[in-house]
Amino acid sequence: QVQLVESGGGLVQPGGSLRLSCAASRTDFGKYTTGWYRQAPGKRRELVATITSGGSTNYLDSVKGRFTISRDNTKNSVVLQMNSLKPEDTAVYYCYLMAFREYWGQGTQVTVSS
């Protein structure tokens, strides 16, 4: 069983920044693709950003240039740096790990509002 624990969500004004972190309990974390999804009220869960074991990244078009995903395999962690936040970024953000099956964190709320 793999546990993913997210932190860093909260309330921020438009244009502000937040940094989401996710720590995985799996020690071979570095071998697998990981990333972040989000789900806004009344909407389907959508991919925000992923990063492969080799460091290749993929982003949702609407966050390109504003969000940056990175990983630290020595700490079994993945970070999502979110800048220039917009109200439409408001959602619950979930950490994700694909290690033979999907693993999900419990989610962290991000609210962008003035």
Side-chain angles (χ1 to χ4, degrees):
Q1 187 70 12
V2 177
Q3 289 188 327
L4 302 173
V5 180
E6 300 117 332
S7 61
L11 172 65
V12 64
Q13 292 186 341
S17 298
L18 282 174
R19 182 179 175 90
L20 303 184
S21 297
C22 174
S25 62
R26 190 163 181 135
T27 58
D28 58 351
F29 171 83
K31 295 181 180 179
Y32 307 108
T33 294
T34 184
W36 296 88
Y37 282 65
R38 69 186 182 188
Q39 188 166 19
K43 294 187 177 181
R44 299 182 65 178
R45 189 173 295 189
E46 63 180 357
L47 179 151
V48 176
T50 59
I51 184 167
T52 68
S53 59
S56 296
T57 58
N58 182 43
Y59 293 94
L60 180 68
D61 283 345
S62 62
V63 309
K64 287 179 180 177
R66 300 189 296 122
F67 292 10
T68 302
I69 189 171
S70 60
R71 65 190 301 164
D72 185 343
N73 294 332
T74 65
K75 297 181 179 179
N76 299 326
S77 66
V78 58
V79 169
L80 185 68
Q81 178 67 43
M82 305 186 295
N83 299 327
S84 302
L85 282 160
K86 303 176 181 180
E88 51 263 43
D89 295 317
T90 295
V92 177
Y93 284 69
Y94 297 90
C95 182
Y96 163 86
L97 179 68
M98 183 62 192
F100 304 111
R101 50 153 284 192
E102 295 179 341
Y103 295 93
W104 297 92
Q106 79 284 359
T108 185
Q109 177 69 46
V110 171
T111 302
V112 185
S113 176
S114 56

